[in-house]
Amino acid sequence: MSNITRLPCIRGVALIAVNPLHEVLVGKELQPKPHLGKYPGTWSPPMETLHRGESQIDALKRLIQEELDGLPGIEIESIPHGEYWIASARATLYVGHTRSSRLPALGKGMSDVGGHRWIRPEDALGLWLRRGAWEMLSDYIWGRTGVVCHYCRPVSATPPDTVESL
C-alpha cells in the first residue's frame, strides 16, 4: 500500500484573445502564486481557475466579465485547442476573436493581473512568460490543435531581455 498523497488537480481555462490586427492579449501578473507557475512581472494570456461545479464555458464568461472588463464582441471558438499541465494545475486553452482592440481596464477587486497589452504572438514569446504561456502561444502560432501538454517549462528565475518597453 502506498503512502503517496495525491493533491487534487486545480482545473482552469486559458484564452488566446485575438484582435482584428491578429495580435494577442497578454497581461502582467501582479501577485505570486508559485503553485500555479506565476510570479509578479511574468506575462500571460488570460487564465482563470474554475470554481467548484463550474463549467469551462461559464469560467470563460466569468474571466471575460471580471478580468477583461467584458471585452466587447468576443466570439470564442467552441472546440478547445489543448490541455496544458501547469505546475499543480491543468488548463484548457480556448481561442476567441474580438472586433475591438480596446484594452481591458483592471476589474473591480482584481489585483492579480494588470498592464494588459495587445502584441504580435511571435513577439509575446520574447516576454518573461508564466509557466504554460510559452507552450500555449507557440501552439497557437503554429496552428496546433488537440494538444495535450503534460509538461510546461518552468519560469526562469529572472526576466530575459525582452520587449518590456511596451
Side-chain angles (χ1 to χ4, degrees):
M1 186 182 275
S2 173
N3 289 335
I4 296 174
T5 303
R6 291 187 182 245
L7 297 174
C9 179
I10 299 168
R11 295 296 314 244
V13 292
L15 177 65
I16 301 279
V18 183
N19 72 12
L21 300 174
H22 305 288
E23 298 167 319
V24 296
L25 184 67
V26 293
K28 188 179 256 187
E29 302 292 347
L30 302 175
Q31 300 294 322
K33 291 186 182 176
H35 66 288
L36 296 176
K38 64 189 253 183
Y39 299 90
T42 56
W43 292 85
S44 174
M47 294 188 200
E48 184 61 57
T49 303
L50 269 71
H51 290 165
R52 185 180 195 116
E54 183 178 41
S55 72
Q56 291 178 355
I57 298 303
D58 287 340
L60 284 167
K61 289 177 184 176
R62 183 169 51 82
L63 170 69
I64 292 166
Q65 287 303 314
E66 293 177 359
E67 294 188 22
L68 301 179
D69 193 29
L71 193 62
I74 190 159
E75 294 179 20
I76 299 171
E77 296 176 7
S78 59
I79 307 288
H81 276 238
E83 294 280 331
Y84 298 81
W85 289 91
I86 305 168
S88 64
R90 184 173 162 186
T92 303
L93 177 64
Y94 288 85
V95 173
H97 302 271
T98 180
R99 296 179 300 274
S100 173
S101 291
R102 181 180 68 80
L103 288 170
L106 191 60
K108 291 181 182 176
M110 301 307 296
S111 61
D112 282 2
V113 181
H116 292 92
R117 299 285 180 260
W118 291 106
I119 188 170
R120 290 176 8 124
E122 298 81 6
D123 293 339
L125 293 177
L127 297 172
W128 188 34
L129 296 170
R130 77 173 273 186
R131 192 165 191 167
W134 190 90
E135 290 82 1
M136 291 176 186
L137 289 163
S138 295
D139 288 340
Y140 169 74
I141 290 167
W142 292 307
R144 290 187 213 132
T145 59
V147 174
V148 177
C149 181
H150 291 284
Y151 175 81
C152 294
R153 63 169 123 179
V155 177
S156 63
T158 57
D161 293 329
T162 64
V163 288
E164 290 292 333
S165 59
L166 294 174

